[in-house]
Amino acid sequence: MTDSPDTDLLAAFWAYEQALAANDLTGLDHWFLDAPDTLRAEGDTVLVGHSAIADFRRGRSGAPARVVERVHVVRPAPGVAVVTAETRRQDGARGLQTQVWQHTDAGWRIAAAHVSAVSAPTPDDRPDPAVWRVAGRHQDGRPLVASTGQGPLAHIRTAVKDLFAVAGQHVGAGNPAWLAEAPTEPTHADAVRRLLDAGAELTGIAQTDELAFSLAGTNAHYGTPVNPAAPGRVTGGSSSGPAAAVARGWADLGLATDTAGSIRVPASYCGLYGWRPTHGATPIGGLLALAPAFDTAGLLAREPVLLRTAAEALLTSSDAPVPVAGLVVDEELTALAGPEVRASFEAACRALALRSGLPLARTSTGAAEHLEEWFAAFRTVQAAQAWEQHGGWITRHPGALAPDVAARFENGPRVTAAGRAEAEQILADARQVLDAALPPGTALLLPATSGPAPLADAPPEEVEAVRAATLRLTCLASLAGLPAVVAPLLRVRSLPVGLCALGARGTDRALLDFTALDFAASTTESRSSTHG
């Protein structure tokens, strides 16, 4: 018998979890080994045999909703794996489940399972420091800033990325040395104030990658947040904290930033909706900058209608939307993603066109032939601006940044004035090409990332390779200042990958309306088929 890698095992585990969440009895029977000695134990009850376990499931209404926070795998022998999952229910109660998986000719199956008694939350429970830098009062549920109770976002729990000013708090920027010197903010950032004015509550200040210069979602000082949509894998960054908070149900909405993909990548990895606005379409007063030519303030959410409602609170223009009337796929750009992503992307695009009734054109935008030049120019300008913003502080604090983040900043002082001017001209030309290729009413469809989330313990060189591949997809919206919306429409081995729609400058409302209607319907259909 040929043993399969952990990726196949975890895909089977996660498919079983999906069947459990949906109370899909056929799926649950499928994943348990069809044998007379298969075991399931809970409390003081042991069920023996596949038939007895199946009869037990048919006699109950389903398992309580829960989130898998961490997954541990031990391989004691070839073809055998012990999987232990740490879970948390919606009421905060914690539990454990341990399964012995056996590799058969049909793939991985559960030969024995034990479900622990659920423990209620205790006063010792604390906010996860990898997700929250500052949280509201954890036990009594009080937010950091209460809702007014009025407005379209009344009582919407909001996680704010630790780059935005919050009155009475400090901006930590994902780095303890920065936090130690940060002043107390006298007022809220403009984007925070707009959401509060619309009725949102501020649940807490969520972590970010250091100075927002990363896409991984790993922080050397505060840790790596759990990704419930892809256990054992990163959330993506630099909006790692808001993405984790929303994905885990601790917040309904995440106020985040996107310079080179820091909303779109976490949305893709965590199975969320994400919106990067047209550059300049949302306020950035009170936001700690990275590269002002590309920085934007946008949102993360689990539901597209909430994303659209919250975006309206942030948008500063009142222009009427030009509805999306046509979809475009550039196969040369799609080829930047991995083969499994491309296959899922093609199926999703066909389903989306069928569902929406919109024409789907396959054409070249002209971007692929210039992409390497554009990408290099983008990184040149980004590095130069990032050093302008933070180079002085970095020089005064040697060793304060993780080595990979420090290395990115060190590219900044190497940029010459002539090199920067040349790069800025290249980007100006790129904007003209993309503006011509994307007239109002057109949405360019792309995979949001080159693949699913990398493993949290992946080697640094692998993380950097994934980052570089994904940046080639995300840099288009960034360098041209275009709006982009991500929806969780793709699946790769049961792992989420986002589908991204780019629109013409200033057509944010049209993209968001399209997402709230057609993307949402396609997502529901996709999830239904996943659950079997």
Side-chain angles (χ1 to χ4, degrees):
M1 179 186 302
T2 301
D3 196 9
S4 67
D6 279 355
T7 51
D8 294 339
L9 169 66
L10 288 174
F13 167 82
W14 198 238
Y16 169 78
E17 278 295 314
Q18 290 175 321
L20 190 65
N23 197 30
D24 175 4
L25 300 180
T26 301
L28 293 170
D29 289 348
H30 169 81
W31 290 110
F32 263 72
L33 184 65
D34 191 357
D37 56 353
T38 301
L39 295 178
R40 182 191 185 277
E42 182 174 6
D44 60 357
T45 301
V46 178
L47 302 173
V48 182
H50 186 276
S51 296
I53 296 169
D55 289 343
F56 161 75
R57 287 212 175 88
R58 283 165 177 77
R60 68 173 185 176
S61 59
R66 65 184 186 177
V67 170
V68 176
E69 293 192 329
R70 291 178 178 84
V71 178
H72 310 273
V73 178
V74 176
R75 302 290 294 273
V80 178
V82 178
V83 179
T84 298
E86 302 176 47
T87 63
R88 181 192 291 269
R89 292 195 325 204
Q90 290 180 336
D91 62 1
R94 295 176 180 275
L96 294 173
Q97 67 174 34
T98 299
Q99 302 158 346
V100 178
W101 288 77
Q102 179 179 328
H103 195 258
T104 71
D105 291 339
W108 286 101
R109 296 294 186 270
I110 300 171
H114 179 265
V115 181
S116 75
V118 174
S119 61
T122 71
D124 293 330
D125 284 346
R126 295 291 183 269
D128 186 343
V131 176
W132 298 110
R133 211 261 300 161
V134 179
R137 296 182 185 177
H138 194 51
Q139 290 303 311
D140 61 17
R142 295 184 186 177
L144 199 61
V145 180
S147 169
T148 62
Q150 298 179 344
L153 299 179
H155 302 295
I156 292 297
R157 300 169 302 157
T158 303
V160 174
K161 186 175 182 177
D162 195 11
L163 297 176
F164 291 91
V166 175
Q169 302 290 333
H170 309 275
V171 173
N175 183 277
W178 183 283
L179 176 62
E181 298 178 355
T184 301
E185 297 295 335
T187 59
H188 295 307
D190 293 344
V192 174
R193 169 53 58 196
R194 280 177 170 261
L195 295 179
L196 292 173
D197 287 346
E201 70 175 44
L202 202 167
T203 303
I205 300 173
Q207 296 285 12
T208 175
D209 294 0
E210 291 182 89
L211 297 176
F213 210 170
S214 177
L215 284 180
T218 56
N219 188 302
H221 309 286
Y222 300 113
T224 301
V226 170
N227 182 347
R233 295 173 180 267
V234 299
T235 58
S238 61
S239 303
S240 52
V246 173
R248 293 170 75 171
W250 294 346
D252 307 306
L253 189 68
L255 175 60
T257 66
D258 189 308
T259 300
S262 289
I263 286 174
R264 290 164 286 161
V265 172
S268 181
Y269 289 171
C270 295
L272 300 174
Y273 290 87
W275 167 54
R276 174 204 161 87
T278 297
H279 190 263
T282 58
I284 57 172
L287 170 65
L288 183 67
L290 175 65
F294 313 114
D295 293 343
T296 59
L299 299 166
L300 291 155
R302 292 188 302 278
E303 299 297 334
V305 175
L306 174 59
L307 187 77
R308 174 66 176 89
T309 302
E312 192 62 49
L314 289 185
L315 285 165
T316 56
S317 70
S318 57
D319 297 338
V322 177
V324 173
L327 309 176
V328 172
V329 170
D330 185 332
E331 293 180 344
E332 292 177 299
L333 295 176
T334 304
L336 296 168
E340 293 175 298
V341 174
R342 295 199 301 271
S344 184
F345 173 79
E346 286 297 328
C349 288
R350 289 193 297 270
L352 185 59
L354 182 64
R355 172 68 181 80
S356 66
L358 298 178
L360 176 64
R362 298 181 183 274
T363 185
S364 173
T365 61
E369 62 182 297
H370 302 292
L371 186 58
E372 290 305 313
E373 180 185 35
W374 292 358
F375 180 54
F378 170 75
R379 297 187 76 174
T380 294
V381 176
Q382 182 190 32
Q385 292 197 352
W387 186 256
E388 284 179 347
Q389 296 296 318
H390 303 306
W393 183 87
I394 293 169
T395 301
R396 295 191 301 272
H397 298 79
L401 297 175
D404 59 328
V405 179
R408 292 183 199 113
F409 277 105
E410 287 166 4
N411 290 324
R414 301 188 185 114
V415 177
T416 65
R420 179 171 174 174
E422 180 182 3
E424 289 174 340
Q425 182 57 54
I426 290 171
L427 295 184
D429 295 340
R431 293 184 190 105
Q432 291 184 351
V433 172
L434 289 173
D435 285 345
L438 288 175
T442 300
L444 171 64
L445 305 182
L446 289 169
T449 52
S450 62
L455 291 167
D457 58 356
E461 58 273 16
E462 180 180 328
V463 173
E464 184 57 32
V466 171
R467 178 178 183 272
T470 291
L471 276 170
R472 284 167 170 78
L473 289 166
T474 60
C475 75
L476 294 174
S478 298
L479 65 86
L482 302 179
V485 178
V486 170
L489 296 186
L490 312 185
R491 304 294 291 185
V492 173
R493 289 173 277 112
S494 297
L495 300 171
V497 178
L499 187 149
C500 183
L502 271 64
R505 196 179 322 278
T507 61
D508 300 75
R509 288 181 175 86
L511 280 184
L512 289 159
D513 287 343
F514 177 61
T515 303
L517 295 174
D518 296 297
F519 270 26
S522 296
T523 304
T524 301
E525 292 167 4
S526 174
R527 288 176 177 165
S528 298
S529 64
T530 298
H531 292 314

